[in-house]
Amino acid sequence: MIDKIKNYDAIKCLFEAILELKTPEDCCRFFEDVCTVKEMQAIAQRLEVAKMLKAGETYTAIVNATGASTATISRVNRCLNYGDGGYNLVLKRLESK
């Protein structure tokens, strides 16, 4: 992924800032300042799509439950199967909580 990012130092700084957030309230405050509501909703929607795909849900069920487009579902599915493992890492950690 590093090769895909043009300004890796700025992205790395962003990731380090995110790692400093300790609570959901911290995250809410930070992301509310950094992202638009639509951007946060889009990210949350993709995570929900990933959860549903991992649970074996059909595209139709996911569209109906989340409102995600089939293109978004396909992209998330591609990332789950051929990506860098980010979704799988997070989903596994969330399951263990």
Side-chain angles (χ1 to χ4, degrees), residues 6-26:
K6 292 185 194 274
N7 191 355
Y8 180 71
D9 289 338
I11 298 293
K12 183 179 175 189
C13 182
L14 171 65
F15 293 157
E16 288 171 352
I18 291 168
L19 290 170
E20 291 300 317
L21 303 170
K22 305 288 189 231
T23 66
E25 292 79 18
D26 288 350

Side-chain angles (χ1 to χ4, degrees), residues 9 21-23 33 44 60 67 74 77 83 85 87 96-97:
D9 289 338
L21 303 170
K22 305 288 189 231
T23 66
D33 286 348
T60 302
S74 293
N77 193 43
Y87 279 120
S96 66
K97 282 190 167 189

